Amino acid sequence: MSLATEPSRPAAPLWKRKDLVGIQELSAEEITLLLDTARQFKQVGARDVKKVPALQGRTLVNFFVEPSTRTRTSFELAAMRLSADVINISASSSSLVKGESLKDTALVLQANNVDIVVLRHSSAGAAQFLAERLRSSIINAGDGAHEHPTQALLDLFTIRERRGHIEGLHVAIVGDILFSRVARSNIWGLLKLGAKVTLVGPSTLVPRVFERMGVAVVRRIDDVLGTVDVINLLRIQHERQRRAYFPGLGEYINLFGLTKERARCLRPDCLIMHPGPINRGVEIDSEVADDPVHSVILEQVTNGLAVRMAALYLCAAASRPLPPAPRKEP
Ligand code: CP
C-alpha cells in the first residue's frame, strides 16, 4: 500500500500529544503504540524506495544546543524519509551566542511556521518549556540529565525486537546514572512495560534515592552478570559533573567496567547495549563492544531511525491529521 493513495484519516486516535517531552508521562499503551508504529516504519527502511510522503509540506528544525552525532543525524534522516523539509541549527551558529533567549529563538522558528522543533539542550525542562509556549510540536532530543525519550524508545524497540517482549526481563543499567537522561528515560519505559531494573554503580553516581522509582540498586557489577537479560553500559558524563565522583578511571574500570573477563560471565543470550558515544576501554572493553553475538549497539542506532520516524509522525499527526502510517506487510 502507498501512503499517497490512502484516504486521509487520523493515524492513531490513542496518540493525542503534539509533543514528546519524556517517557515519564507516557502510558504503557502509548509506548507500545510508538514501538508498533516504529516497526512499520522500519519496514519502509527495508524497501528500495525508503521515502514516504507522510510529512510532505511540513517543516522540521533540528535545534541542537549540545553536541550530538547519533540523535541529530537520526532525526534529520527520519524527517527526510518522511518527506519533511529540514534545517539544522546549532548553538554556535545561532543568535543564542549574541544573548538571544531560548524562548525568543523558538518564537522566531514559530513565526516561520515551523511545524516541528527537535530540541537538544543542556538544561532539564527546556523541551517542556517550549512545548508549553509554542504551537509547533516539540520533540525532546535530550534535556540536561532529565530525559532522552527517543533513546529509551529505541532501546526498548531493540530489546523487544530481539527478545520478543519486555515484560519479565531483567535489565541492568550500569554507571553514571545520576547525570544520565538516558537512564531516567530507560527506567520509566522499562518499568512501565513490566521489566525488572537494577542500577549498578558507586553510591556517588547511583544514590539509593533511585530506589524510589521502583528499581533495585547494587554496588557490584559482578552481582548482576549471571542473572540479567540485558546489560546497558553508560558513559561517564564528565560534561555534567562538577567534581570528581570516583577516584580515577582505573578504579572505575576495575569495579564497574564490562571487561572481557566479566563478559564471559553473562548469560549466553544476554544483550549488551550502549547508547553511545562509547568510551572504549572504560565502561566497556573495545572487543566486547564489537562482540557480534551479544552487542546490539549498532542495531540500536539503526532502530533509532525508525523510532524517530514514528515519534515525528505521531506528534505531527496529533497537531494536524496526516495520511495513515504504513501498515505491517504480511
Ligand atoms: N545517544 C546519544 O544521544 O548520542 P548522541 O549524543 O551522539 O546524539
Side-chain angles (χ1 to χ4, degrees):
M1 56 82 73
S2 154
L3 277 172
T5 56
E6 285 287 314
S8 192
R9 61 176 167 78
L14 175 63
W15 188 268
K16 296 189 168 53
R17 300 174 185 274
K18 80 172 178 67
D19 312 296
L20 177 60
V21 171
I23 303 293
Q24 182 178 4
E25 55 265 31
L26 300 186
S27 65
E29 290 73 25
E30 286 173 307
I31 296 171
T32 301
L33 174 68
L34 267 158
L35 300 183
D36 290 345
T37 308
R39 188 169 54 188
Q40 293 162 236
F41 279 118
K42 190 167 178 180
Q43 291 186 344
V44 171
R47 296 179 191 166
D48 288 340
V49 178
K50 297 176 174 53
K51 208 159 174 165
V52 291
L55 294 192
Q56 208 162 42
R58 307 258 178 134
T59 311
L60 177 143
V61 171
N62 247 343
F63 185 16
F64 277 60
V65 181
E66 270 193 341
S68 165
T69 299
R70 276 149 288 270
T71 313
R72 198 191 62 76
T73 309
S74 179
F75 268 116
E76 186 169 356
L77 278 171
M80 289 161 77
R81 290 212 175 155
L82 293 167
S83 304
D85 298 313
V86 190
I87 59 167
N88 291 289
I89 304 178
S90 66
S92 59
S93 64
S94 76
S95 289
L96 286 174
V97 291
K98 299 180 209 165
E100 188 165 52
S101 69
L102 174 67
K103 182 184 170 193
D104 282 337
T105 307
L107 287 173
V108 169
L109 300 179
Q110 180 162 275
N112 281 302
N113 280 326
V114 164
D115 297 292
I116 306 169
V117 178
V118 176
L119 178 70
R120 170 166 290 190
H121 202 280
S122 54
S123 297
Q128 183 65 40
F129 178 82
L130 291 192
E132 288 168 4
R133 287 162 179 79
L134 265 61
R135 290 186 305 277
S136 317
S137 289
I138 306 296
I139 312 287
N140 184 5
D143 60 330
H146 173 227
E147 282 230 33
H148 191 347
T150 57
Q151 177 67 47
L153 289 166
L154 73 89
D155 293 340
L156 293 168
F157 184 94
T158 305
I159 297 170
R160 194 180 76 161
E161 187 176 61
R162 277 291 192 130
R163 302 300 299 258
H165 60 100
I166 305 273
E167 191 169 8
L169 294 181
H170 184 193
V171 180
I173 308 176
V174 183
D176 179 0
I177 311 295
L178 186 61
F179 292 95
S180 175
R181 54 196 175 209
V182 173
R184 282 174 182 75
S185 291
N186 261 276
I187 292 168
W188 290 121
L190 288 163
L191 293 177
K192 282 170 195 271
L193 295 191
K196 174 184 170 190
V197 180
T198 299
L199 307 180
V200 184
S203 57
T204 47
L205 293 174
V206 192
R208 292 231 170 256
V209 69
F210 277 100
E211 288 172 339
R212 291 191 204 156
M213 292 177 81
V215 299
V217 171
V218 303
R219 301 279 170 238
R220 285 165 38 91
I221 188 171
D222 302 290
D223 289 345
V224 299
L225 293 175
T227 59
V228 290
D229 300 291
V230 178
I231 187 161
N232 195 350
L233 291 309
L234 301 183
R235 179 178 66 87
I236 305 293
Q237 320 253 324
H238 294 290
E239 70 274 23
R240 274 185 264 287
Q241 298 182 359
R242 292 194 175 79
R243 63 181 174 87
Y245 282 79
F246 48 90
L249 278 186
E251 175 144 326
Y252 185 85
I253 296 164
N254 280 340
L255 291 171
F256 303 107
L258 187 61
T259 58
K260 283 198 277 287
E261 296 71 33
R262 287 195 172 117
R264 284 188 209 107
C265 301
L266 293 169
R267 286 163 47 162
D269 57 353
C270 181
L271 302 179
I272 298 173
M273 304 182 79
H274 194 305
I278 300 174
N279 288 145
R280 287 175 182 266
V282 180
E283 67 271 11
I284 186 168
D285 175 86
S286 190
E287 279 181 38
V288 176
D290 298 332
D291 179 327
V293 177
H294 299 100
S295 171
V296 293
I297 294 171
L298 290 178
E299 269 177 54
Q300 291 173 259
V301 176
T302 302
N303 292 333
L305 181 51
V307 158
R308 286 169 180 129
M309 287 174 81
L312 294 176
Y313 177 82
L314 289 173
C315 289
S319 310
R320 236 178 332 130
L322 289 172
R327 290 199 197 100
K328 190 167 178 244
E329 285 170 4

